[in-house]
Amino acid sequence: MADFNFDWVDAFSGRAFGGNGCAVVHEAAHLPEAVCTAYVRETSLVECTFTGPSDVADVKVRYFLASREIPFAGHPTIATVAAMRDRGLIAGGSITLETGAGIVPVTLEGDLFSMTQVAPEFGPFADPALVAAAVSLPVEAIVGRPQKVSTGLPFCITVLRDRAALEAAELNLEALAALGRSLGADGIDMMEPFLVTLEGATEAGDTFSRLLMAPPSPPEDPFTGSATGAMASYLWRHGLIEKAEFAAEQGHGLGRPGQARVSRVGRADAIEGVQVAGEGFVLMRGTVDLPDSA
């Protein structure tokens, strides 16, 4: 057993109990996956990060769900940098993170932490009928063709016709598994549709999204920074939003409102990267005893 410092941060929010929570465990990137996933399950959070030294960046960051390690995640990136700044571990206005998806630069702009996600990878289009079945909606609720898109982590980006459809969506695990297989995923692994409407949850927003999640994760993600970058890329690529910078909202239906400022690097037909910026509120600080093996 060993003691590690940790911070619990509400990312994409400037206040307590908003946005999406993430526990950041410092100097613990060497711990085995079984210990890290067990810790995520113990917290009941969607994801947690574990930091450590890096030979290629300022810090190494490993990202974990309750079920496995993933290469990158958005709100935990914001949470990690917010926690490091709160502890005085960042000198200057920028930092680089070594992640499984590559080097991720993050700039500090007042209360905003802005991460630059990698250029999007556009995968296959999904069968709208399979997507509709996965989220228990009629196929007519879907606008255009859903598509697998990644800016570090893949999601099935799905535009819905209105907020009523967004609020009515419910996950069907059997249909979700079929959708995942059709897109090359291992069953339901990381292929939940990221649902978006082209209207904000508030007057300040341009889009409003939901991500319904399969067990052992919580049923819904309050804010999904990695999917927000993929979603923005899809909207720009298909001409569904003209602004090169817009406000994305998520989590309001859970009582955890979050907002990100999303901006494009490059032209809409040749996106070089996506900048996703949000605030981070450090809610708790402390130490945790973790074993070397689960």
Side-chain angles (χ1 to χ4, degrees):
M1 301 289 287
D3 289 348
F4 300 93
N5 291 322
F6 81 92
D7 298 294
W8 187 301
V9 183
D10 287 338
F12 290 107
S13 176
R15 65 169 180 83
F17 315 127
N20 201 349
C22 173
V24 181
V25 186
H26 300 276
E27 300 299 328
H30 61 281
L31 291 174
E33 180 173 347
V35 172
C36 297
T37 53
Y39 179 73
V40 178
R41 292 191 294 273
E42 186 75 9
T43 66
S44 296
L45 292 165
V46 175
E47 289 146 338
C48 296
T49 62
F50 295 73
T51 72
S54 170
D55 294 329
V56 295
D58 294 316
V59 64
K60 180 177 182 178
V61 183
R62 296 178 67 192
Y63 301 80
F64 290 90
L65 298 164
S67 58
R68 68 183 183 96
E69 184 172 6
I70 56 176
F72 173 76
H75 90 269
T77 296
I78 298 296
T80 299
V81 178
M84 292 183 65
R85 185 178 74 170
D86 189 68
R87 288 182 176 268
L89 299 176
I90 299 177
S94 65
I95 186 173
T96 55
L97 280 56
E98 177 191 352
T99 78
I103 304 299
V104 175
V106 181
T107 57
L108 287 64
E109 309 170 12
D111 292 332
L112 283 180
F113 305 93
S114 179
M115 60 181 159
T116 301
Q117 298 179 5
V118 298
E121 295 182 4
F122 294 94
F125 288 100
D127 183 342
L130 287 178
V131 178
V135 292
S136 308
L137 291 175
V139 71
E140 294 79 14
I142 295 175
V143 176
R145 294 187 296 171
Q147 187 176 16
K148 180 180 178 180
V149 185
S150 173
T151 54
L153 197 65
F155 293 89
C156 182
I157 306 302
T158 305
V159 179
L160 299 182
R161 66 188 178 195
D162 53 34
R163 186 165 174 174
L166 183 71
E167 294 173 348
E170 296 182 1
L171 206 58
N172 180 310
L173 293 179
E174 183 176 349
L176 180 62
L179 171 64
R181 288 191 295 270
S182 76
L183 293 175
D186 180 12
I188 59 176
D189 193 20
M190 290 312 299
M191 203 47 61
E192 294 96 339
F194 189 65
L195 309 174
V196 58
T197 58
L198 299 176
E199 56 179 312
T202 71
E203 292 183 358
D206 296 293
T207 62
F208 184 34
S209 301
R210 293 181 69 196
L211 180 68
L212 308 177
M213 305 188 75
S217 293
E220 184 169 347
D221 199 23
F223 202 100
T224 320
S226 52
T228 296
M231 173 267 291
S233 300
Y234 176 95
L235 297 182
W236 287 320
R237 173 76 170 259
H238 297 292
L240 295 174
I241 194 165
E242 295 184 359
K243 297 179 180 179
E245 179 177 307
F246 66 91
E249 296 184 320
Q250 189 180 344
H252 294 64
L254 299 173
R256 298 190 64 92
Q259 185 181 94
R261 185 193 71 195
V262 190
S263 53
R264 188 177 69 231
V265 180
R267 304 191 315 269
D269 61 349
I271 302 169
E272 300 170 13
V274 182
Q275 293 179 333
V276 181
E279 296 182 74
F281 184 89
V282 180
L283 182 69
M284 289 185 275
R285 305 163 184 84
T287 60
V288 57
D289 293 338
L290 292 176
D292 292 327
S293 62

